[in-house]
């Protein structure tokens, strides 16, 4: 079974169980400062897991591309990835543990669907602690489906508990594993007794509590189920492969790397590691650059992660002897392999090629400058009797000049020096903490701040976008936003800096609509109807879906109309005074506005 077939079968199965297929969303979370990327399939659905009604109903399914970089240094082994696909299904106050476990087991083992060997499946459930009891309910349903007692492991909260944050919805989960060892698993073998031979493929989260404080859990009146299956890992198991890189997900990409480097994958383990890093990082970079919202390489936030992925791929290309620019060639292989599932890659391929080539040129220039900087440091380094380059110096070369640690080690060795690697890691750790490039720990979900203030800011982005179109023209399109309780950032396409007069005019238009106290209303309708009525639908990609449409203004005389799933005020006077603090460049062809609001009427509960 190919990855494309697995995707299709998963959606087909859950549709047969009365789930509605919804579109996967952008890799860049909207209005969520807690994470840089969409880290799990549930991430875009957080508002609905918190109780907001979804326009498509209470049973949903989709496939979603995700990025996690918390373990980027592990990429290069046979299984770790920064970019992966998650297959998901959800119950929003509909069915619960019994049905969820039954669906999962049927899909995995039925000959009609995946037909996996039940003897090679084991599961984990929550062991219980002082806050919540052992999840005997989930274990009972597994046994009813034929799971032997010795294939059920009871593990602590660090393994089998999901929480949206320090407070809010949470609950136990059950994780499903498949045997990847030799033959059949011996009696008594499960994830708890032999973790190395069991690979996790699916996670079913049961949100049944609301955490009020550190020690208080209150049962939720409306319980949800959130599940996620890793496409690449499951595909690997279905094909009997020992590595995700040996499946058709990666083989066309690896074939292109072999062609460009004249190296045959599988010949040398160290070079194989470089091939895997290039394959993973180039795929991740293409998915990020080709996303609906799009991100360009930069020195902050998601752009910094993208830059690091590209530069790490270039560095490992050099280790394979590739001296010319090569990432655009690999990008073509990625696009060809994934354009059917993600048509936005084909639509945005010109941008992908341009950005990759520009960043690759820049990095090769960076390497030359870094080598020159290293030569400048040599006279002082020679005075060090320990013949050691400090971690602080090594990290400065990396952070300031983009000079990889491996190159500092190579150049150091050529001159008789070692490098304090632990000191480098400590300096890097402090930098990461300071810059808050966080997504480690978000594997089980990230949650944005959600308050009356952020709700006001979110509605203000609708007013701002329409005001920008009124002043600058239809070339303006939203490229992303970021909202906290203190401010909003709004990125939009435009090819030059705004004038002071344009900025003032936009600000005046927004405040005018706020003072008019326009009504904010919501309707659920098919996407085709929404766009026919003039609604903006920038980040929605599957036609035929029912969507939420928010209108600001009277029905026949509106100011703004957008397809959106975020929280909104009831009328614009609740927003308060709007003030643009700064207008600046975000990336090539993209401008950024930073604004604040103050005052406003209280929201109606």
């Amino acid at each position: 079974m190919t990855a494309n077939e697995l995707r299709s079968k998963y959606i087909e199965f859950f549709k047969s169980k009365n789930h509605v297929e919804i579109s996967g969303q952008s890799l860049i979370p909207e209005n969520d400062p807690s994470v840089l990327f969409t880290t799990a399939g549930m991430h875009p659905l957080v508002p609905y897991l918190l109780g907001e009604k979804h326009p498509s109903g209470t049973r949903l399914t989709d496939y979603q591309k995700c990025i996690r970089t918390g373990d980027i240094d592990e990429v290069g082994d046979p299984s770790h990835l920064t970019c992966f696909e998650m297959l998901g299904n959800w119950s929003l106050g509909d069915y619960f543990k019994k049905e969820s476990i039954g669906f999962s087991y049927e899909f995995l083992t039925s000959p009609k669907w995946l037909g996996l060997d039940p003897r090679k499946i084991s599961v984990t459930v929550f062991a219980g602690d002082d806050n919540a009891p052992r999840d005997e309910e989930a274990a009972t349903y597994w046994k009813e489906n034929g799971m032997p007692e010795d294939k059920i492991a009871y593990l602590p909260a660090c393994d089998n508990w999901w929480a949206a944050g320090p407070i809010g919805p949470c609950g136990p989960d059950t994780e499903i594993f498949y045997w990847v060892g030799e033959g059949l698993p011996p009696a008594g073998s499960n994830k708890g007794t032999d973790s190395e031979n069991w690979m996790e493929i699916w996670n079913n989260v049961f949100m049944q509590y609301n955490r009020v404080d550190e020690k208080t859990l209150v049962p939720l009146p409306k319980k949800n189920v959130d599940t996620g299956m890793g496409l690449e890992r499951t595909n690997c198991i279905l094909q009997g492969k020992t590595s995700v890189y040996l499946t058709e997900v990666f083989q066309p990409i690896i074939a292109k790397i072999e062609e460009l480097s004249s190296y045959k994958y599988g010949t040398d383990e160290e070079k194989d590691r470089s091939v895997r890093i290039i394959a993973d990082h180039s795929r991740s970079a293409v998915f990020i650059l080709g996303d609906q919202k799009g991100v360009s390489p930069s020195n902050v936030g998601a752009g910094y992660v993208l830059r690091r992925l590209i530069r790490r791929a270039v560095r490992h290309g050099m280790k394979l002897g590739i001296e010319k620019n090569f990432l655009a060639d690999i990008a073509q292989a990625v696009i060809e392999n994934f354009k059917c599932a993600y048509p936005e890659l084909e639509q945005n391929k010109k941008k992908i090629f341009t950005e990759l080539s520009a960043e690759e040129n820049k990095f090769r220039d960076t390497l030359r400058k870094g080598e020159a900087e290293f030569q400048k440091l040599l006279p002082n380094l020679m005075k060090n009797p320990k013949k050691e380059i400090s971690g602080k110096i090594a990290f400065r070369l990396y952070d300031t000049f983009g000079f990889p640690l491996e190159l500092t080690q190579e150049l150091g060795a050529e001159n008789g020096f070692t490098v304090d690697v632990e000191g480098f890691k400590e300096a890097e750790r402090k930098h990461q903490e300071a810059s808050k490039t966080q997504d480690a720990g978000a594997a089980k979900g990230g949650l944005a701040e959600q308050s009356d203030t952020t709700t006001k800011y979110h509605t203000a982005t609708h007013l701002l976008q329409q005001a920008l179109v009124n002043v600058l023209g239809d070339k303006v399109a939203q490229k992303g936003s970021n909202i906290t309780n203190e401010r909003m950032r709004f990125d939009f396409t435009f090819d030059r800096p705004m004038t002071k007069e344009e900025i003032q005019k936009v600000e005046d238009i927004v405040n005018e609509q706020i003072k008019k106290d326009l009504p904010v209303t919501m309707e659920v309708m098919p996407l085709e109807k929404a766009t026919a009525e003039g609604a903006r639908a920038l980040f929605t990609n599957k036609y035929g879906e029912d969507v939420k449409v928010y209108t600001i203004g009277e029905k026949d005389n509106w100011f703004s109309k957008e397809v959106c799933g975020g929280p909104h005020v009831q009328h614009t006077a609740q927003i308060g005074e709007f003030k643009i603090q700064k207008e600046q460049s975000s990336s090539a062809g993209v401008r950024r506005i930073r604004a604040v609001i103050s005052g406003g009427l209280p929201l109606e509960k």
Side-chain angles (χ1 to χ4, degrees):
M1 187 181 295
T2 66
N4 287 336
E5 290 168 338
L6 173 57
R7 241 187 251 112
S8 297
K9 270 192 176 288
Y10 186 91
I11 298 298
E12 181 189 352
F13 174 81
F14 281 101
K15 278 186 173 181
S16 76
K17 304 298 183 184
N18 299 316
H19 290 64
V20 175
E21 183 185 2
I22 59 174
S23 297
Q25 297 299 304
S26 171
L27 272 173
I28 313 302
E30 187 173 5
N31 304 324
D32 189 347
S34 68
V35 287
L36 298 176
F37 296 102
T38 295
T39 58
M42 57 73 62
H43 202 149
L45 290 168
V46 165
Y48 309 106
L49 295 170
L50 290 171
E52 192 173 328
K53 288 186 178 180
H54 196 284
S56 294
T58 59
R59 296 188 178 201
L60 310 173
T61 185
D62 78 354
Y63 57 89
Q64 171 75 48
K65 53 187 187 291
C66 307
I67 296 282
R68 291 181 194 167
T69 57
D71 54 1
I72 189 173
D73 292 324
E74 301 301 318
V75 172
D77 68 12
S79 62
H80 277 86
L81 301 171
T82 55
C83 177
F84 61 96
E85 292 184 70
M86 191 72 83
L87 304 170
N89 67 280
W90 294 269
S91 166
L92 305 177
D94 194 321
Y95 61 82
F96 203 45
K97 295 181 185 179
K98 181 177 182 177
E99 295 85 351
S100 177
I101 288 171
F103 290 158
S104 296
Y105 195 71
E106 180 184 354
F107 181 68
L108 289 171
T109 62
S110 169
K112 180 180 177 181
W113 301 106
L114 299 192
L116 291 174
D117 189 342
R119 296 172 298 176
K120 292 187 174 185
I121 296 175
S122 77
V123 299
T124 62
V125 297
F126 177 53
D129 56 23
D130 293 340
N131 292 318
R134 177 172 160 129
D135 195 358
E136 293 289 2
E137 184 183 6
T140 296
Y141 292 134
W142 276 119
K143 292 172 190 175
E144 288 182 2
N145 280 278
M147 188 65 61
E149 180 77 44
D150 67 350
K151 292 291 184 290
I152 302 174
Y154 294 84
L155 299 182
C158 59
D159 294 293
N160 282 87
W161 187 270
W162 180 92
I167 60 173
C170 59
D173 62 27
T174 183
E175 298 182 357
I176 307 171
F177 296 80
Y178 199 75
W179 176 258
V180 292
E182 293 292 327
L184 291 173
S189 176
N190 56 47
K191 172 64 176 177
T193 60
D194 180 12
S195 61
E196 289 187 7
N197 285 310
W198 292 95
M199 180 186 287
E200 181 188 349
I201 55 173
W202 209 340
N203 182 16
N204 296 28
V205 177
F206 306 123
M207 280 174 268
Q208 62 187 96
Y209 298 103
N210 182 44
R211 186 182 295 280
V212 179
D213 56 42
E214 188 177 341
K215 295 184 178 180
T216 309
L217 294 177
V218 178
L220 284 170
K222 191 175 181 181
K223 300 172 182 176
N224 301 318
V225 176
D226 156 37
T227 89
M229 169 185 272
L231 180 138
E232 290 86 356
R233 287 186 176 188
T234 306
N235 189 47
C236 178
I237 285 170
L238 288 168
Q239 296 184 14
K241 305 291 188 183
T242 56
S243 166
V244 294
Y245 293 97
L246 296 177
T247 69
E248 85 289 349
V249 171
F250 284 101
Q251 280 299 293
I253 305 171
I254 289 175
K256 177 57 70 172
I257 297 170
E258 289 178 326
E259 176 189 325
L260 293 165
S261 66
S262 299
Y263 168 72
K264 180 65 177 174
Y265 183 66
T267 307
D268 174 86
E269 179 51 34
E270 186 57 31
K271 289 184 176 180
D272 284 354
R273 181 173 179 272
S274 290
V275 170
R276 291 191 289 263
I277 288 172
I278 296 168
D280 170 82
H281 287 12
S282 59
R283 186 172 79 132
S284 299
V286 168
F287 273 41
I288 295 170
L289 286 166
D291 192 74
Q292 301 104 305
K293 295 185 183 179
V295 168
S296 295
S298 69
N299 288 324
V300 295
Y304 177 78
V305 174
L306 173 60
R307 172 162 284 168
R308 186 181 179 195
L309 290 167
I310 293 172
R311 293 188 169 191
R312 200 162 184 246
V314 173
R315 170 64 188 140
H316 281 273
M318 290 177 166
K319 292 180 79 169
L320 291 178
I322 307 176
E323 296 300 329
K324 64 175 185 176
N325 282 7
F326 65 93
L327 286 182
D329 290 330
I330 296 176
Q332 183 62 58
V334 175
I335 293 169
E336 283 299 315
N337 208 20
F338 292 96
K339 66 182 181 182
C340 290
Y342 301 105
E344 65 269 20
L345 300 181
E346 176 74 18
Q347 295 161 8
N348 296 322
K349 66 180 181 181
K350 183 177 179 181
K351 178 198 173 187
I352 294 170
F353 297 154
T354 300
E355 295 270 19
L356 284 174
S357 296
E359 186 64 21
E360 195 165 359
N361 278 327
K362 190 180 295 183
F363 184 48
R364 291 181 186 277
D365 185 53
T366 293
L367 291 178
R368 287 190 290 271
K369 290 179 180 177
E371 289 176 354
E373 186 66 22
F374 183 87
Q375 294 301 322
K376 290 180 187 176
L377 292 172
L378 264 181
N380 283 331
L381 291 174
M382 289 295 187
K383 298 175 184 177
N384 182 352
K386 289 177 65 177
K387 289 288 185 178
E388 180 183 70
I389 299 171
S390 72
K392 188 175 180 180
I393 289 175
F395 183 71
R396 186 172 73 84
L397 285 169
Y398 169 70
D399 187 47
T400 305
F401 299 98
F403 207 62
L405 174 64
E406 310 96 278
L407 269 186
T408 301
Q409 289 175 304
E410 287 177 18
L411 289 176
E414 290 172 6
N415 291 275
F417 289 90
T418 59
V419 177
D420 178 10
V421 176
E422 289 305 313
F424 175 91
K425 290 180 179 178
E426 177 63 16
E428 184 178 41
R429 183 187 65 79
K430 288 180 179 178
H431 173 80
Q432 288 172 338
E433 287 178 357
S435 60
K436 305 210 183 281
T437 55
Q438 56 184 320
D439 71 352
K444 292 188 178 180
L447 181 66
E449 297 176 78
Q450 190 158 330
S451 65
D452 286 0
T453 302
T454 56
T455 297
K456 293 178 179 182
Y457 271 121
H458 179 82
T459 310
T461 64
H462 289 233
L463 297 176
L464 173 59
Q465 175 159 236
Q466 188 59 51
L468 286 165
V469 171
N470 291 357
V471 174
L472 303 177
D474 289 336
K475 65 180 74 174
V476 168
Q478 181 179 344
K479 294 298 287 182
S481 62
N482 182 279
I483 289 172
T484 70
N485 276 309
E486 288 73 41
R487 54 94 183 122
M488 62 176 280
R489 289 205 319 255
F490 186 86
D491 291 357
F492 60 98
T493 54
F494 199 57
D495 54 9
R496 62 168 173 80
M498 292 174 65
T499 65
K500 289 182 180 180
E501 292 76 17
E502 288 169 336
I503 293 171
Q504 188 61 54
K505 193 170 181 181
V506 167
E507 183 181 295
D508 289 344
I509 290 173
V510 173
N511 281 315
E512 181 184 352
Q513 308 312 311
I514 292 172
K515 289 175 183 176
K516 285 182 179 178
D517 199 15
L518 300 174
V520 180
T521 56
M522 187 275 288
E523 289 183 89
V524 175
M525 64 181 73
L527 180 57
E528 298 96 320
K529 181 182 177 184
T531 53
E533 291 185 0
R536 298 183 188 280
L538 299 177
F539 309 137
T540 306
N541 50 28
K542 190 180 295 298
Y543 283 74
E545 289 186 4
D546 283 341
V547 295
K548 288 184 174 182
V549 178
Y550 282 88
T551 301
I552 302 178
E554 300 300 333
K555 186 172 183 179
D556 298 323
N557 185 29
W558 46 266
F559 177 76
S560 167
K561 188 186 287 282
E562 285 194 36
V563 174
C564 185
H568 296 78
V569 301
Q570 292 90 18
H571 49 98
T572 57
Q574 293 172 321
I575 296 173
E577 184 179 359
F578 176 83
K579 178 68 178 174
I580 295 176
Q581 291 185 320
K582 184 183 289 187
E583 190 274 349
Q584 63 188 113
S585 172
S586 172
S587 59
V590 179
R591 305 298 297 176
R592 170 171 291 173
I593 281 178
R594 182 185 177 105
V596 294
I597 56 174
S598 58
L601 300 176
L603 270 60
E604 298 157 15
K605 301 300 182 184

